[in-house]
Amino acid sequence: MKLVTYNVNGIKARLPRLVEYLAEQQPDIVCLQELKCSDDTFPAADIEAAGYGALWHGQKGFNGVAVLARGATPVERARGLAGEPEDEHSRYLEVEVDGLVVASIYLPNGNPRPGPKFDYKLRWFDRLAARAAALLAAERPTVLAGDFNVIPFDDDSFSVRAMQEDALMQPESRAAYRRLLAQGWTDALRLRHPTGGTWTFWDYQAGAWARDAGFRIDHLLLSPQAADRLTDADVDKEYRGRERASDHAPTWVRLR
């Protein structure tokens, strides 16, 4: 089984690239982030024509997450996280596909910092950690997949100096991520590439793609039951270089 996380940076703008990716790679499950569309404008017919069932949690112009399953429709388990009833951001969708529990996650960016956006990022991390602990307690194969907007280690960035003031690399952001891992989750891409240097995002600015000036912010965290089935993890990097591509590349795991 190939399970992919892919921040599409606007599903309507990237739909040709997404459909192309589905046709070429035929992943079994795809977690999408940053749909930037409302629920009623999600391109469900195009996704279905590509051979995928889908569930989505949209938001007009911002955020938005979805899960696609090849030849099946995911079963919804939860949308949104508990803890802040007033939070209307569409950032979390949890489903089940063939006995596997999967969450598509779009964690807040947190910039500028300090300030309310960074505070919200850390609160959201705490809320995610609470849900993650409950999922681990169920002792089922589970994958938390998405754009976590955190660069966990120095070697996950092309330049520590360039990113040192960014919310993605602050000690508080990294500590929150490491607390999540400490619950018992396996960072699949880090396990596969323990010395770093594997990017999932390249900014549109300053020729970042041409210079390979990227960093790793898209992560796939596996419960022990899923980690036991892990055979590989990597990034389909070349899709970032295609015309009108997202600034993220599809990032994936293979599970038995």
Side-chain angles (χ1 to χ4, degrees):
M1 171 185 286
K2 183 175 183 177
L3 189 154
V4 176
T5 183
Y6 192 6
N7 180 320
V8 291
N9 191 13
I11 192 168
K12 287 184 279 189
R14 315 296 169 207
L15 188 59
R17 295 287 77 80
L18 174 60
V19 170
E20 179 180 71
Y21 181 77
L22 297 177
E24 292 178 2
Q25 295 294 326
Q26 298 189 16
D28 298 284
I29 300 172
V30 182
C31 295
L32 302 177
Q33 300 87 40
E34 209 170 354
L35 302 178
K36 296 182 180 179
C37 73
S38 60
D39 280 339
D40 58 356
T41 60
F42 182 84
D46 298 275
I47 299 300
E48 184 177 351
Y52 287 77
L55 288 175
W56 59 93
H57 181 26
Q59 184 176 346
K60 184 178 180 180
F62 301 94
N63 307 321
V65 287
V67 182
L68 318 182
R70 184 158 61 96
T73 300
V75 177
E76 183 171 326
R77 290 169 50 97
R79 58 178 58 209
L81 292 171
E84 290 192 34
E86 68 280 7
D87 183 5
E88 297 181 350
H89 286 199
S90 299
R91 295 183 176 275
Y92 183 89
L93 181 63
E94 183 184 306
V95 309
E96 185 169 331
V97 182
D98 288 337
L100 183 69
V101 177
V102 179
S104 183
I105 294 166
Y106 181 42
L107 211 127
N109 177 282
N111 285 303
R113 54 152 292 274
K117 290 187 176 182
F118 189 62
D119 295 341
Y120 171 61
K121 178 191 186 86
L122 298 181
R123 293 198 311 273
W124 206 95
F125 238 133
D126 287 342
R127 292 160 60 201
L128 175 61
R131 181 60 187 165
L135 290 170
L136 279 179
E139 298 186 350
R140 296 188 58 189
T142 303
V143 182
L144 305 181
D147 177 358
F148 283 68
N149 267 316
V150 60
I151 300 170
F153 304 98
D154 285 356
D155 57 14
D156 286 322
S157 173
F158 76 99
S159 169
V160 171
R161 181 177 179 181
M163 298 302 297
Q164 64 184 353
E165 298 301 323
D166 197 283
L168 278 60
M169 213 170 74
Q170 293 311 297
E172 299 93 332
S173 303
R174 288 178 160 184
Y177 184 79
R178 289 172 181 171
R179 284 196 298 271
L180 195 60
L181 293 184
Q183 293 181 348
W185 299 94
T186 295
D187 181 337
L189 201 60
R190 186 73 186 183
L191 183 67
R192 176 69 175 79
H193 300 278
T195 58
T198 300
W199 320 140
T200 67
F201 171 90
W202 296 258
D203 201 289
Y204 290 131
Q205 307 299 318
W209 170 248
R211 296 186 295 115
D212 197 27
F215 40 86
R216 184 175 78 100
I217 55 175
D218 301 274
H219 309 306
L220 296 123
L221 306 188
L222 311 183
S223 71
Q225 295 77 17
D228 284 346
R229 304 180 183 189
L230 178 66
T231 62
D232 201 3
D234 217 327
V235 181
D236 286 330
K237 179 178 177 179
E238 66 103 350
Y239 286 88
R240 171 62 179 84
R242 298 195 178 186
E243 185 178 359
R244 293 182 59 81
S246 170
D247 43 8
H248 295 249
T251 303
W252 52 266
V253 294
R254 288 193 187 277
L255 306 177
R256 288 191 300 272

